[in-house]
Amino acid sequence: MAQSLPGPSDYALTPIKFSRLTQRGVILGLSASQLVVVGIGAASLVLCLYASGGSALLAATPVMVICSVLAWVGVGGRTLVQWLPAAAHWLWRSSGGQLQYRRRIATPRPAGTLALPGDAARLRQWLDRETGAVMVHDPHQGTLTAIVEVSHPAFILLDPAEQERRVVGWGRVLATTCRSGRLASLQLLERTLPDSGKGLAEWWSRHGTHDGTWTSTTYAELIDRAGPAGERHATTISLSLDMKRASRAIRAAGGGNRGAAAVLRQEMATMLAALRSADLTPSGWLTPGELALILRSAYDPAVAGALERHGDLGRDLATAGPVAVTESWGSLRSDSAHHCVLWISEWPRTLVYPGFLAPVLLSSGLRRTFSLLYTPIRTDQAARDIRRKKTEYISDAAQRQRIGKIEDAQQSAEFQDVLQQEADLTAGHGILRATGLVAVSADDPDELERALSAIEQAAIQASCETRRLWGQQAQSFAAAALPLCRPV
């Protein structure tokens, strides 16, 4: 008797679908910047006609042509007017000499600062005496961040029922983040690192036979060289407290960084309980030495394995940053590697199963860091935002119908996404804004381009779309490769 193969409906896994990135403009699909440029062109035409009559059309034509090109000509998925802010910021930083960073090795840094370049130079460390954890204070953003390392079994190797159970558990962790109301963001960071062989060497030192024979010597040498050959994945979760939202609780706890640390400790305890409920194993909040090792490994991956294997080397947070960084329009070069950051601009538009990111996360031979930055939105703000979007969609649809313009499928799908978010919010779920970044590292520019091509192909297999972040590689690298809840 023939036995039919199991289909997707026979599994316990529930497929999921993501909301689309909205492409809707303010009026008739035009964004605010496009409307400004079009308005400048129209205003120049009206002024010329009012001042000199029809003979002034020749004078107004160049302005109108330039405005039309800026508003409607696209490059790399954006119109030219949308490139103007990034290009202007790039030119401003170039003129100020901010694209290159060189550490002043003879000048000591102020106590308590992190040795990071660019916008991250303002970050300060705060050591919590009760938990021993290091907290990173951003005085400009008004945040205080703590990081915990999490271990878990390989998700892709679990059976469908166990995968579904873990997905539901992770959803409860994110729901806990939404209900807090005092958290600025939560970052999930997954790093692919060359295995230092530390675990294997420790096993050999404890259980091996060290009798000096040829077999024992050869085996010890093989274990000593086995470290850089493998890969391992390390996962951290960063929790960032919004000190403005939590100002009342901070004042009640004593005020200042000490009060903020007390409030963050409450959120850390809640997060640990939620992680354990989701069958994740937190290994304790990072100490200054452990955070220093992560920061140093991000900018100098060539020495990451050696630092991890050899005790206390490289675990001083005051010297954990890079020695030299040079930023170009499309990539970043740090101490021993070239880096490039990709933004996941489109998540799967069709139903997919929870392990859909496996091609991106598990492709071998590539050094990459995958970062998911969750920004929780308060329930009242989410409700107002959904009502505003519904009103704008209905108004745009009425306007399109009045002028005889056909509504396309993209606009209808975005409106359905808004209705789905409203239904989820009414059912008691939270709303989070998720940003996905992939930082790719390589030893030279050619290898970096090959690695980027491989990651882009893996993203296509995962039904995602990626875009290179031109002109903002330094800031995006700090957001993608460092567990500090940095904004993009």
Side-chain angles (χ1 to χ4, degrees):
M1 180 178 178
Q3 185 176 3
S4 60
L5 294 174
S9 58
D10 299 324
Y11 295 100
L13 270 177
T14 303
I16 55 176
K17 188 173 70 172
F18 293 82
S19 298
R20 292 163 176 77
L21 183 65
T22 179
Q23 303 292 335
R24 186 183 50 79
V26 179
I27 297 176
L28 298 178
L30 297 178
S31 63
S33 56
Q34 287 176 303
L35 285 176
V36 170
V37 174
V38 172
I40 292 174
S44 64
L45 175 63
V46 172
L47 288 176
C48 289
L49 289 176
Y50 182 77
S52 304
S55 60
L57 280 177
L58 290 177
T61 299
V63 179
M64 294 172 58
V65 170
I66 293 174
C67 291
S68 301
V69 170
L70 289 175
W72 282 290
V73 175
V75 176
R78 299 182 189 177
T79 59
L80 291 179
V81 68
Q82 292 174 331
W83 281 105
L84 285 180
H89 190 244
W90 169 265
L91 291 176
W92 177 72
R93 296 179 60 224
S94 302
S95 61
Q98 299 181 20
L99 300 182
Q100 293 188 349
Y101 167 81
R102 300 291 183 270
R103 175 186 290 179
R104 298 176 181 175
I105 56 177
T107 304
R109 296 181 62 88
T113 60
L114 275 66
L116 296 176
D119 298 339
R122 58 177 179 250
L123 299 180
R124 306 286 187 271
Q125 65 165 318
W126 175 269
L127 182 61
D128 185 38
R129 301 292 181 186
E130 294 192 15
T131 61
V134 60
M135 299 177 179
V136 180
H137 178 220
D138 187 341
H140 290 190
Q141 296 289 335
T143 59
L144 192 67
T145 304
I147 307 107
V148 63
E149 189 163 358
V150 175
S151 58
H152 52 84
F155 181 81
I156 200 70
L157 299 179
L158 301 175
D159 60 81
E162 180 65 14
Q163 288 183 356
E164 176 71 11
R165 193 175 69 82
R166 288 180 176 272
V167 168
V168 173
W170 177 246
R172 289 173 183 163
V173 173
L174 297 180
T176 303
T177 306
C178 286
R179 293 192 185 97
S180 170
R182 299 185 295 196
L183 294 180
S185 58
L186 180 143
Q187 183 185 17
L188 173 66
L189 192 77
E190 206 269 354
R191 297 176 295 145
T192 304
L193 303 170
D195 191 359
S196 64
K198 183 179 180 181
L200 188 60
E202 290 178 351
W203 182 90
W204 172 252
S205 64
R206 289 196 302 269
H207 305 286
T209 303
H210 308 278
D211 54 3
T213 60
W214 178 83
T215 305
S216 175
T217 305
T218 304
Y219 198 67
E221 291 176 354
L222 285 175
I223 289 177
D224 187 55
R225 297 172 184 173
E231 284 184 352
R232 69 181 182 90
H233 295 262
T235 305
T236 59
I237 293 177
S238 308
L239 203 62
S240 182
L241 175 73
D242 190 329
M243 297 174 68
K244 295 179 182 175
R245 291 185 193 172
S247 57
R248 182 175 300 176
I250 291 174
R251 285 195 298 270
N257 286 344
R258 191 178 302 279
V263 176
L264 182 56
R265 273 200 303 274
Q266 299 172 4
E267 301 292 340
M268 291 159 61
T270 304
M271 179 56 62
L272 286 183
L275 291 176
R276 292 192 180 102
S277 299
D279 282 345
L280 298 172
T281 308
S283 59
W285 299 94
L286 293 191
T287 62
E290 293 168 337
L291 178 59
L293 187 60
I294 293 177
L295 299 182
R296 178 76 183 276
S297 302
Y299 286 99
D300 194 3
V303 300
L307 293 178
E308 186 179 359
R309 194 167 183 171
H310 294 93
D312 298 331
L313 291 177
R315 293 175 183 268
D316 186 1
L317 198 52
T319 59
V323 175
V325 173
T326 301
E327 181 185 1
S328 61
W329 177 249
S331 63
L332 179 80
R333 181 178 184 180
S334 63
D335 293 351
S336 63
H338 296 256
H339 313 275
C340 184
V341 180
L342 299 175
W343 167 49
I344 300 179
S345 58
E346 286 286 353
W347 296 95
R349 301 180 184 180
T350 57
L351 292 173
V352 292
Y353 289 95
F356 71 97
L357 277 175
V360 178
L361 299 178
L362 302 181
S363 53
S364 60
L366 302 174
R367 283 185 301 189
R368 65 194 170 276
T369 302
F370 180 80
S371 177
L372 262 179
L373 187 65
Y374 294 99
T375 304
I377 303 175
R378 286 190 330 198
T379 304
D380 55 337
Q381 292 179 348
R384 285 198 301 270
D385 186 58
I386 289 173
R387 283 196 296 269
R388 179 180 58 80
K389 286 181 179 177
K390 282 182 63 179
T391 304
E392 291 175 354
Y393 275 113
I394 293 173
S395 301
D396 287 351
Q399 192 172 10
R400 284 192 296 270
Q401 187 176 10
R402 187 167 57 251
I403 64 177
K405 189 176 180 181
I406 300 174
E407 183 169 344
D408 56 24
Q410 174 76 20
Q411 294 159 345
S412 301
E414 290 180 3
F415 185 57
Q416 292 300 322
D417 290 339
V418 174
L419 295 180
Q420 182 62 45
Q421 290 178 6
E422 184 181 31
D424 293 340
L425 192 65
T426 305
H429 299 287
I431 302 293
L432 293 117
R433 185 182 298 115
T435 305
L437 299 169
V438 184
V440 186
S441 303
D443 293 334
D444 57 69
D446 293 336
E447 185 181 348
L448 178 63
E449 293 299 328
R450 289 193 291 270
L452 282 173
S453 178
I455 290 293
E456 288 171 349
Q457 291 300 317
I460 292 174
Q461 294 176 22
S463 303
C464 296
E465 180 180 333
T466 57
R467 285 188 186 178
R468 197 165 179 165
L469 292 176
W470 301 97
Q472 46 186 334
Q473 285 289 319
Q475 183 183 6
S476 56
F477 180 78
L482 307 182
L484 302 177
C485 289
R486 301 292 301 156
V488 182

